[in-house]
Amino acid sequence: MINEIKDGIEVLKFNKPVMAAVANRPAAKKWGFIILAVPPVLNLILSSMLFPSGFGSLFTRVLFWPMVIPSIALTGAIFVMSYAAERIFASKHGHWPFFKVLAYASVFLWLSAVPFLLALTGLIDPSGLFDLIWLVGVVWMFVVGYHLFLEWGKLSNQNAVIILAIGVVAYLILQLVLGRVLVGNYYRMFY
């Protein structure tokens, strides 16, 4: 797991040989899903400790879904972008290589646990810092995606921007729809 985290950090630094290695590694698909799953699981556990009922609040819709929906929406947006690169813009690489690299780039989102750790000490309210870290992480993933689609996917500048726009729209729509369906009208993407 340590090597996968190191590869994720190298992907965030635009290390082209590591990006290519991750894209071509069969086990990277499994690790990509694991890397994407860590932030919501860790944040759920830590945030449930902030409630008086403790782990009893873990599966309430006001805690569970707001922690999980952003990760589901991000995973969906990655799928949409990699699918668009393959199908719409006929990238020479398949769907999964793009997914693997972008999933590894989500290792930055592990830092979203820091606000909950600080909140456990009573130092801060976690929501603002959590939102900031999540926003920076998602934006940086899209920057990694842009470079990935240009360099490795051999797409034009314009096509890479179109794919990113499709990904941003998919992310926002998935969050909105999932939030309204699973949480209700009071779900907000950012708190």
Side-chain angles (χ1 to χ4, degrees):
M1 178 115 178
I2 299 297
N3 289 333
E4 307 308 319
I5 295 169
K6 287 179 183 177
D7 285 348
I9 292 168
E10 290 302 312
V11 165
L12 289 171
K13 297 191 299 187
F14 308 120
N15 185 326
K16 293 173 191 170
V18 172
M19 291 168 99
V22 167
N24 292 319
R25 188 181 316 143
K29 187 189 322 181
K30 172 189 74 168
W31 283 108
F33 280 112
I34 291 170
I35 291 169
L36 282 164
V38 166
V41 170
L42 185 59
N43 292 339
L44 267 171
I45 293 168
L46 292 173
S47 64
S48 69
M49 292 176 173
L50 297 172
F51 287 89
S53 60
F55 290 112
S57 61
L58 190 65
F59 295 106
T60 62
R61 74 178 180 149
V62 295
L63 180 61
F64 182 80
W65 289 118
M67 289 291 167
V68 174
I69 288 172
S71 291
I72 293 171
L74 185 59
T75 303
I78 292 171
F79 273 117
V80 168
M81 287 189 300
S82 62
Y83 187 79
E86 179 188 16
R87 298 292 179 169
I88 298 172
F89 297 106
S91 173
K92 67 178 185 172
H93 300 289
H95 165 71
W96 285 110
F98 291 115
F99 172 79
K100 291 183 233 179
V101 175
L102 291 173
Y104 270 63
S106 74
V107 76
F108 181 87
L109 298 176
W110 289 20
L111 293 176
S112 65
V114 170
F116 296 107
L117 289 170
L118 292 174
L120 286 173
T121 65
L123 293 175
I124 65 164
D125 175 24
S127 60
L129 185 56
F130 170 81
D131 287 342
L132 178 64
I133 291 170
W134 193 268
L135 179 65
V136 169
V138 170
V139 167
W140 197 252
M141 282 181 64
F142 281 105
V143 171
V144 168
Y146 175 76
H147 287 282
L148 176 69
F149 294 130
L150 281 180
E151 299 291 328
W152 199 68
K154 303 298 183 203
L155 299 178
S156 70
N157 224 3
Q158 179 182 2
N159 290 347
V161 169
I162 290 170
I163 288 174
L164 293 180
I166 290 169
V168 168
V169 169
Y171 178 68
L172 295 174
I173 288 173
L174 283 169
Q175 269 215 49
L176 180 68
V177 170
L178 290 172
R180 294 290 185 243
V181 169
L182 299 172
V183 179
N185 289 335
Y186 57 91
Y187 178 79
R188 296 183 324 170
M189 287 186 226
F190 303 104
Y191 286 90

